[in-house]
Amino acid sequence: MKLSSKGKTIIEVTVLLIAVTITYLFWNSFFIYPVKLFVVLLHELSHCIFALVSGGSVTEIKIDYQVGGECLVKGGNPYLIASAGYLGSLLLGGLLFISSNKYKFSKYFCTVLSLIFLIACITLIKSPFGILFTIGFSIILFFSPRILPNIVHSYLFKILGTISCLYTIIDIKDDLITSEYRRTDAQILADLTGVPAIIWGISIFIISVLVVYFLVRFNFRKQK
């Protein structure tokens, strides 16, 4: 039986809700480990891109087995660089989601993102662990739209895109709901602007939820 566009959207939204729920419930499990590394890599690459765009330079991107990440930069606009991790995760996650509906765009976008991963791997990532996983993600990005069935590729990128956009939720929970001072992106923004880190965290959390809402709405209209 052929499903209507509304039926397809309901199924997709249900799958996304289940996938996101499982991800957050089992965030510290081995099963979710590669997803965590992927979103952390997007986060650090976003810092890197904003640093370069604002006139700075990048000396190294660190990705470790404990799912920690750091982008070491010199110069550039500190406000843009500090906010880049959150905004970049939203932007790249949104593009991953949108690309799942357009095969040609998805193919080009995945190729470009795959090349960025490889360039970062060759020039900026120095740890064997970081290099191994970055190459692995690059291969997945390149071949996913080319060899996977369209429906598998579509759902995979919708899920990855959604989780990347909502990554700030866990980031904020882990970094801000604590009594100890931690050098997080929100805290850096607080030090630069004088606005409390919790305000930055809540604001970006709301933006993340809105972005996901409009992505799902866009997806519904696209199918309709």
Side-chain angles (χ1 to χ4, degrees):
M1 182 178 67
K2 188 175 181 179
L3 291 173
S4 64
S5 60
K6 184 177 181 180
K8 290 180 180 178
T9 301
I10 291 174
I11 291 175
E12 286 188 357
V13 171
T14 301
V15 170
L16 286 176
L17 286 174
I18 293 173
V20 170
T21 301
I22 291 175
T23 298
Y24 286 111
L25 287 177
F26 300 96
W27 184 249
N28 293 319
S29 69
F30 179 78
F31 177 71
I32 306 298
Y33 188 71
V35 178
K36 292 168 67 175
L37 284 173
F38 181 78
V39 295
V40 167
L41 183 57
L42 288 184
H43 184 97
E44 299 307 330
L45 281 175
S46 298
H47 284 301
C48 172
I49 292 170
F50 275 61
L52 295 174
V53 169
S54 64
S57 61
V58 181
T59 57
E60 184 180 357
I61 293 177
K62 296 181 179 181
I63 305 291
D64 63 49
Y65 71 94
Q66 294 180 321
V67 202
E70 186 179 9
C71 182
L72 305 180
V73 304
K74 292 182 179 179
N77 188 303
Y79 301 95
L80 286 177
I81 297 170
S83 61
Y86 295 133
L87 298 179
S89 294
L90 285 175
L91 176 61
L92 294 176
L95 289 174
L96 284 171
F97 189 101
I98 292 172
S99 73
S100 67
N101 289 313
K102 292 180 173 289
Y103 174 74
K104 286 186 178 180
F105 174 71
S106 182
K107 189 175 179 180
Y108 292 131
F109 177 65
C110 287
T111 300
V112 171
L113 195 56
S114 175
L115 288 174
I116 290 175
F117 276 30
L118 281 179
I119 292 172
C121 184
I122 294 171
T123 61
L124 298 173
I125 300 175
K126 300 176 182 179
S127 69
F129 176 86
I131 291 172
L132 177 64
F133 270 89
T134 304
I135 290 176
F137 291 140
S138 178
I139 291 173
I140 292 172
L141 284 168
F142 183 82
F143 285 105
S144 179
R146 292 172 167 83
I147 64 174
L148 290 180
N150 286 341
I151 189 170
V152 175
H153 171 75
S154 177
Y155 275 107
L156 174 63
F157 272 52
K158 279 183 172 67
I159 292 170
L160 286 177
T162 302
I163 293 173
S164 295
C165 288
L166 292 177
Y167 171 66
T168 52
I169 295 177
I170 288 181
D171 214 20
I172 291 165
K173 178 179 70 68
D174 291 342
D175 293 341
L176 299 183
I177 306 179
T178 176
S179 59
E180 63 178 293
Y181 179 93
R182 301 177 68 182
R183 191 67 174 165
T184 64
D185 292 347
Q187 188 60 61
I188 293 172
L189 286 168
D191 294 341
L192 289 170
T193 63
V195 178
I198 189 67
I199 301 300
W200 281 107
I202 292 173
S203 300
I204 296 170
F205 167 79
I206 293 172
I207 292 172
S208 300
V209 173
L210 289 175
V211 167
V212 172
Y213 167 75
F214 284 111
L215 284 175
V216 174
R217 187 176 179 182
F218 166 83
N219 188 64
F220 176 79
R221 287 186 175 181
K222 184 69 179 176
Q223 291 197 2
K224 189 174 182 180

